[in-house]
């Protein structure tokens, strides 16, 4: 029988109410294969942080659809939640930033998140990415060995698109868009090796990426600068592997 949590968060044991309930809460969450808490104002950023910290070993599906008080999703490093395959953040209307590093994720639903401006994904197994209705996205940086189609036709504000997807066959919505010129659209095939962290190719972009990726985790890869080039942005001195 599948272990599913599909009840409100306030049904979980509250560590503030009783000292031993913290351990009970962790046991419940860590045993789940599916966590589904939808259309709940009680879901906030700290719950996602808690799940990344706990990293349930068998969690495959994580659905927080309609969480109006979630503003950021940060799931990193790639070893957290090692079995996670599906994340649903559809209709999280306050969501602005998404960073996901996962070696197992196959499907990510970010549809109808009208305030979402920045998406950085390092997910080699990602096959499906839903950005329908995300018209405020300005930056999309994506690594996947499995993604074949990318649809950004809804993202009318997109000005910084970088894809590192060797099997990407079609990108929909980047040509012939009225009143929209992509300032940076780059497609770089890097074989089967996925970068360990999000790259940054220009100083201006470094500032935008640093807003989501911690400086200590940022590696810079300057387009056209050659292997071994180092970025002097801020205090980073990481070199290409």
């Amino acid at each position: 029988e599948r272990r599913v949590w599909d009840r409100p968060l306030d049904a979980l044991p509250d560590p503030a109410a009783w000292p031993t309930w913290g351990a009970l809460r962790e046991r419940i969450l860590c045993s789940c294969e599916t966590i589904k808490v939808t259309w709940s104002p009680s879901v906030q950023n700290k719950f996602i942080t808690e799940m990344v910290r706990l990293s349930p070993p068998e969690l495959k599906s994580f659905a927080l659809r309609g969480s109006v008080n979630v503003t950021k999703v940060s799931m990193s490093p790639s070893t957290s939640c090692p079995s996670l395959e599906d994340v649903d953040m559809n209709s999280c209307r306050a969501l602005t930033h998404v960073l996901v590093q996962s070696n197992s994720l196959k499907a990510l639903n970010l549809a109808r998140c009208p305030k979402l401006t920045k998406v950085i994904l390092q997910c080699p197994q990602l096959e499906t990415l839903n950005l329908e209705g995300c018209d405020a996205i300005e930056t999309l940086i994506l690594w996947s060995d499995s993604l074949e189609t990318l649809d950004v036709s809804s993202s009318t504000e997109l000005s910084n698109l970088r894809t590192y997807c060797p099997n990407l066959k079609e990108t929909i919505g980047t040509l012939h868009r009225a009143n929209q010129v992509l300032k940076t659209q780059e497609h770089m095939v890097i074989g089967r090796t996925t970068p360990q962290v999000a790259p940054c190719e220009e100083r201006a972009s470094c500032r935008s990426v640093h807003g989501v990726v911690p400086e200590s985790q940022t590696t810079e890869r300057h387009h056209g600068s050659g292997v071994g080039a180092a970025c002097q942005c801020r205090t980073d001195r990481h070199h290409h592997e």
Side-chain angles (χ1 to χ4, degrees):
E1 182 179 352
R2 294 188 63 191
R3 297 179 294 277
V4 178
W5 181 270
D6 58 0
R7 302 172 62 190
L9 282 189
D10 55 15
L12 282 168
D14 183 0
W18 193 259
T20 60
W21 283 6
L24 177 59
R25 178 188 179 100
E26 290 188 5
R27 284 199 298 271
I28 292 172
L29 292 175
C30 286
S31 68
C32 290
E33 294 182 9
T34 297
I35 293 177
K36 183 178 180 181
V37 184
T38 58
W39 308 103
S40 172
S42 64
V43 177
Q44 300 180 13
N45 297 350
K46 62 183 180 180
F47 179 61
I48 299 175
T49 301
E50 179 184 14
M51 293 307 301
V52 172
R53 177 180 62 83
L54 293 176
S55 290
E58 298 181 15
L59 182 65
K60 293 183 178 179
S61 179
F62 190 43
L64 300 180
R65 177 182 292 234
S67 299
V68 295
N69 289 317
V70 171
T71 61
K72 292 185 180 182
V73 172
S74 181
M75 304 186 73
S76 178
S78 57
T79 53
S80 60
C81 302
S83 301
L84 188 63
E85 296 182 354
D86 182 88
V87 173
D88 184 1
M89 302 299 300
N90 189 314
S91 300
C92 293
R93 303 189 66 82
L95 185 63
T96 61
H97 295 73
V98 172
L99 165 66
V100 180
Q101 294 177 297
S102 171
N103 292 329
S104 58
L105 189 68
K106 295 182 178 180
L108 176 60
N109 187 352
L110 298 174
R112 289 176 283 281
C113 295
K115 294 185 178 180
L116 185 61
T117 60
K118 186 180 302 182
V119 179
I120 301 176
L121 306 175
Q122 180 196 334
C123 305
Q125 301 302 318
L126 188 68
E127 299 173 354
T128 303
L129 174 62
N130 189 347
L131 298 174
E132 179 184 355
C134 297
D135 54 6
I137 293 179
E138 298 173 357
T139 296
L140 173 59
I141 304 176
L142 171 63
W143 294 265
S144 170
D145 289 340
S146 303
L147 192 70
E148 295 186 359
T149 301
L150 175 63
D151 187 348
V152 293
S153 56
S154 295
S155 305
T156 55
E157 298 299 318
L158 185 62
S159 60
N160 188 0
L161 171 62
R162 306 180 193 178
T163 58
Y164 303 84
C165 306
N167 291 311
L168 187 63
K169 298 177 180 177
E170 184 178 21
T171 304
I172 303 170
T174 59
L175 298 176
H176 311 299
R177 179 184 293 159
N179 302 318
Q180 176 63 44
V181 177
L182 294 179
K183 299 176 184 176
T184 305
Q185 179 184 345
E186 300 172 355
H187 179 74
M188 183 181 298
V189 176
I190 57 173
R192 294 291 177 176
T193 301
T194 304
Q196 293 303 305
V197 288
C200 160
E201 300 177 3
E202 301 169 356
R203 289 180 180 272
S205 297
C206 284
R207 290 192 291 271
S208 67
V209 173
H210 281 305
V212 178
V213 182
E215 291 186 14
S216 61
Q217 296 182 3
T218 305
T219 298
E220 325 305 2
R221 184 184 299 272
H222 288 267
H223 184 61
S225 59
V227 176
C231 175
Q232 302 301 316
C233 172
R234 295 194 177 185
T235 59
D236 291 324
R237 295 295 184 271
H238 299 290
H239 291 263
H240 303 304
E241 297 181 354

